[in-house]
Amino acid sequence: TLFRSRINLLRSEKEEAQQIALRQKSAILEATARFVPEQFIAELNRKSIEEVSLGDAAEKDMTVLFADIRSFTTLSEQMVPRETFQFLNDYLAGVVPIVRSRGGHIDKYVGDALLALFPGSAIEAIQAAIAMHKSLENNGGPAGQKQLRIGTGIHTGKLIIGTVGEAQRMDVTVISDAVNVASRLEHLTKDFACRLIVSAETLNEEPQARSLTLRFLGTEYVTGRNDAVQIFEVLDADRDPLRDHKLLYRSDFEKAVNLYETGSIEESARLFQEMAMAHPDDGPARAFHKRAMRLLRLREGKAGHADLWQ
C-alpha cells in the first residue's frame, strides 16, 4: 500500500542518515588520531577520544627517544618558510614510520626535534634510533640533503601521561624526569659529535643490551637532576670505518675516561689525543681531549676568559 511504501522510504532514509553520520564520526575520529595517537588514549585506559577528560592521568614505565636534526638553523636559512616545512615533513615521513614499526609512537614534534615513547622493550627504542641513522646514511635526507645528520638520546624511566589545559583547549602530554634526561643526552651528542647516546638506566632495564656495541662515555650531570647519569655511545649507529676504529681503541678510550674522571688529566689527554689523531671523526675522543686540555690550563693558571665558558 501507499502508507507502507511511505514507511519503508522513511526507514530507508533514516538508515542512510545513520550511515552517513557514522561515516562522518569515523572520519572525525580518524582525523583526531593524527593529533592524539590511539596509544595515548589506550594508556589513559579510555576507549576513544570522546571518553578523555581534563585531568586524566596514568603513570607508566617507558623508554624515551629524543631526536634532533644537526645544524637545522643553517639549513633552514637557505630556504623560504614553505620549503622549510616541506623539508621537515619529508624528513619525518622517512623516520617516523621507523619509530612506529618498532612499537613506538610520537609524543610531540618540537621544531625539528621529535619526542617518541616506547612502552615495550627498551631495545626497540635503541633499534629504532639505529635504523633512523642508517636510513639517513643510506637514503639521504629530503631535498637532496645527502649529509643530513641527527643526534639521538635515549633514557628509560617513569612517566606521567595525562591531559593538561582548560575546558576549551587541552592537550595530552608527558611529565617526567626521563624526558629531561633523554633531551639532555641528545644535546650531549652535539658536545661529543656522535650519533646515539643511551643511559645506563636504559641498558640495565634491557636484557638484550649485550647484543649492542657500546662505548662508555663516563658520568654526566643533567640540569635539574641531582644524581649523575652514566652514559654510553651506541657504536652500531656509526659508519663501519668509524665503528671499527672505535672498537679497536675502545679499551684505551674507556681507560682514558676513567683516568679523566679520577683526576689523571694529563695521561688521559695524551690517550685521547692519540685516538683523535688516529681518526679525526672520533668526536668523543676530540671532545674529551679538549676538556682535558682546558682543565690542564686551568690548573696552570693559563686559562683565558673563553676557556672558562667552554
Side-chain angles (χ1 to χ4, degrees):
T1 66
L2 182 62
F3 178 74
R4 186 171 297 172
S5 297
R6 180 61 177 167
I7 291 296
N8 290 336
L9 178 61
L10 289 174
R11 184 180 293 119
S12 177
E13 289 176 347
K14 181 179 179 181
E15 290 175 352
E16 183 178 355
Q18 288 175 335
Q19 290 296 322
I20 291 173
L22 284 173
R23 287 196 295 269
Q24 289 175 336
K25 182 178 180 180
S26 177
I28 291 171
L29 290 175
E30 184 178 338
T32 302
R34 298 174 186 171
F35 295 91
V36 182
E38 293 179 356
Q39 295 94 330
F40 273 113
I41 297 171
E43 285 153 7
L44 290 173
N45 298 315
R46 299 292 185 265
K47 293 181 180 180
S48 73
I49 188 67
E50 297 171 303
E51 298 180 7
V52 177
S53 301
L54 184 64
D56 286 347
E59 186 175 289
K60 304 283 184 178
D61 288 307
M62 290 193 186
T63 298
V64 181
L65 181 154
F66 206 95
D68 188 64
I69 298 175
R70 289 288 166 267
S71 304
F72 179 71
T73 301
T74 302
L75 289 171
S76 62
E77 286 174 349
Q78 303 169 23
M79 310 176 199
V80 298
R82 184 177 294 277
E83 290 174 333
T84 301
F85 275 87
Q86 186 63 53
F87 176 89
L88 275 176
N89 287 326
D90 288 346
Y91 155 71
L92 292 170
V95 298
V96 171
I98 295 173
V99 170
R100 195 177 298 118
S101 71
R102 264 71 175 187
H105 58 273
I106 302 299
D107 170 51
K108 59 175 59 71
Y109 303 110
V110 187
D112 62 300
L114 66 84
L115 172 60
L117 304 177
F118 291 79
S121 170
I123 196 68
E124 294 172 334
I126 299 172
Q127 288 174 340
I130 293 170
M132 289 163 67
H133 286 282
K134 294 299 184 184
S135 175
L136 289 172
E137 179 181 314
N138 296 330
N139 304 320
Q145 293 289 337
K146 296 300 183 182
Q147 297 301 315
L148 183 66
R149 295 181 182 179
I150 60 174
T152 44
I154 295 176
H155 181 66
T156 302
K158 289 189 178 298
L159 306 173
I160 298 177
I161 301 174
T163 54
V164 296
E166 49 82 39
Q168 299 302 314
R169 176 67 174 91
M170 64 181 184
D171 198 2
V172 180
T173 191
V174 293
I175 300 173
S176 172
D177 170 66
V179 175
N180 174 48
V181 174
S183 176
R184 176 56 183 157
L185 298 189
E186 181 278 318
H187 186 79
L188 283 173
T189 63
K190 301 176 186 177
D191 297 343
F192 284 118
C194 63
R195 294 186 173 187
L196 173 56
I197 293 178
V198 300
S199 66
E201 284 93 331
T202 294
L203 298 174
N204 291 339
E205 292 293 324
E206 181 45 64
Q208 298 184 56
R210 293 180 181 179
S211 65
L212 301 169
T213 308
L214 306 170
R215 187 167 71 162
F216 182 54
L217 292 181
T219 304
E220 293 284 334
Y221 282 91
V222 176
T223 303
R225 198 177 201 238
N226 293 325
D227 298 330
V229 182
Q230 288 190 322
I231 61 174
F232 293 80
E233 179 185 12
V234 181
L235 304 184
D236 306 82
D238 280 323
R239 288 187 172 91
D240 289 341
L242 181 56
R243 179 175 174 272
D244 293 343
H245 157 81
K246 290 179 178 179
L247 274 175
L248 181 64
Y249 287 92
R250 182 166 58 180
S251 61
D252 288 341
F253 181 90
E254 294 182 347
K255 175 184 175 181
V257 170
N258 182 63
L259 288 169
Y260 177 84
E261 295 194 333
T262 55
S264 299
I265 307 301
E266 189 170 354
E267 177 62 14
S268 72
R270 184 186 64 79
L271 288 172
F272 286 129
Q273 184 178 36
E274 288 179 1
M275 285 176 276
M277 292 178 66
H279 202 303
D281 288 336
D282 189 343
R286 289 190 288 106
F288 267 115
H289 178 253
K290 184 177 180 179
R291 287 185 181 185
M293 293 306 295
R294 185 166 64 249
L295 284 177
L296 289 174
R297 288 194 295 272
L298 285 169
R299 284 183 178 181
E300 296 170 1
K302 297 180 180 179
H305 182 75
D307 288 306
L308 298 175
W309 291 96
Q310 288 180 358

